[in-house]
Amino acid sequence: MRSKIVAGNWKMNKNLSETETLLAELAAKLPDTNAEVMVAPTYINLIGATRCLENSTIEVIAQNMHFAESGAFTGEISADMLLSIGVNTAIIGHSERRAYFGETDAILAKKVVTALAKNIRVLFCFGEELEDRKSGNHFAVVESQLKNALFSLDASVWSKIVLAYEPVWAIGTGETASPEQAQEMHAFIRKTITEAYTTKIADQVSILYGGSVKPGNATEIFSKPDVDGGLIGGASLVADDFVAIIKAI
Ligand code: 13P
């Protein structure tokens, strides 16, 4: 059985005291759930967050990491640095990293290889832009993003990969993919993985949906058979909303 996961990507939001306050509230209100719950605060608050959540099942994860082991990469964070503070999962390939920081499929492929070599679990994001969907290219775009960054990997590492399909047009816009659109794409992703690897791998990988998931639409999106959870932006910054989304799964 693949894992159900609800992850909050806090992006560039919340200073240290706000982080502590939100995490204390989340930890106190966390419902009983079989799903894995994760939060991704900004880098400088990762240590503080891991301390706040020492007695909680909520996992602290990173929003990004560099592909190099160490060295002259001003402003960057390595896999070993994350591991040294107890962070074992990293988001890689978020569309904001691709759009604003020039992260190409080739760069992302290197990041994924490094993360997996260090035994860091990868939460890999991808998804089409509005023009791709309008022109009917969304399946081809998603397939090429997966192929370019992931399909050279050995089958054995796929147990350390979680996928997050995030259509760019649905991120922070209030517009979500319909549950049917999400299901259609998630089923396509699973089929693509089956073709590149095996049905077993495709069936075991968790595929999250991201893009304006809110308490009001989470239940319907999560009810789809190939949607294994969500990567939540804005709504993860409000404890009651994030908790409601966790309850929805
Ligand atoms: P929103 O939920 O704010 O649309 O953000 C989604 C996202 O980018 C999560 O990584």
Side-chain angles (χ1 to χ4, degrees):
M1 262 273 287
R2 48 187 185 254
S3 310
K4 300 271 185 200
I5 298 172
V6 179
N9 176 8
W10 290 8
K11 308 188 180 183
M12 198 174 73
N13 293 293
K14 305 284 177 193
N15 65 24
L16 179 57
S17 69
E18 292 164 345
T19 297
E20 289 167 346
T21 304
L22 177 54
L23 290 177
E25 199 179 343
L26 270 182
K29 293 182 171 173
L30 188 71
D32 244 354
T33 176
N34 293 329
E36 294 181 49
V37 178
M38 307 173 174
V39 290
T42 187
Y43 271 134
I44 59 162
N45 293 329
L46 287 176
I47 299 184
T50 56
R51 289 185 185 145
C52 284
L53 294 174
E54 244 161 24
N55 299 315
S56 168
T57 53
I58 301 173
E59 182 185 354
V60 177
I61 71 173
Q63 296 179 16
N64 180 28
M65 56 159 269
H66 199 261
F67 54 76
E69 284 248 348
S70 61
F73 296 99
T74 301
E76 291 292 331
I77 305 287
S78 73
D80 283 336
M81 292 170 187
L82 294 175
L83 292 170
S84 74
I85 58 163
V87 172
N88 301 306
T89 301
I91 297 173
I92 291 180
H94 193 279
S95 64
E96 288 146 19
R97 300 292 319 168
R98 295 175 190 255
Y100 309 141
F101 303 98
E103 296 197 2
T104 60
D105 286 351
I107 291 172
L108 298 173
K110 289 196 330 190
K111 290 188 174 204
V112 169
V113 165
T114 302
L116 294 169
K118 295 285 180 181
N119 213 21
I120 286 185
R121 193 180 192 191
V122 170
L123 205 171
F124 184 77
C125 301
F126 55 96
E128 82 282 0
E129 310 223 7
L130 186 56
E131 306 83 77
D132 303 321
R133 184 156 280 264
K134 281 189 173 155
S135 61
N137 271 342
H138 45 299
F139 293 116
V141 167
V142 161
E143 186 169 6
S144 81
Q145 288 172 327
L146 291 172
K147 181 166 171 267
N148 293 343
L150 302 181
F151 285 178
S152 303
L153 296 168
D154 192 81
S156 62
V157 298
W158 272 79
S159 58
K160 298 287 287 186
I161 295 175
V162 174
L163 300 178
Y165 166 61
E166 298 204 303
V168 177
W169 48 272
I171 295 178
T173 58
E175 187 174 344
T176 64
S178 68
E180 291 70 33
Q181 285 172 321
Q183 169 57 27
E184 182 187 37
M185 182 58 89
H186 284 220
F188 171 79
I189 293 162
R190 241 181 262 290
K191 178 173 86 66
T192 306
I193 297 169
T194 300
E195 286 162 8
Y197 291 91
T198 60
T199 311
K200 189 169 171 218
I201 288 177
D203 282 347
Q204 278 174 358
V205 67
S206 298
I207 309 177
L208 316 185
Y209 167 79
S212 299
V213 177
K214 308 285 177 206
N217 59 24
T219 305
E220 219 191 327
I221 294 172
F222 294 163
S223 72
K224 295 296 176 192
D226 286 297
V227 177
D228 304 310
L231 182 55
I232 321 298
S236 71
L237 298 170
V238 178
D240 286 339
D241 286 356
F242 194 51
V243 164
I245 292 169
I246 296 165
K247 283 183 181 156
I249 202 143

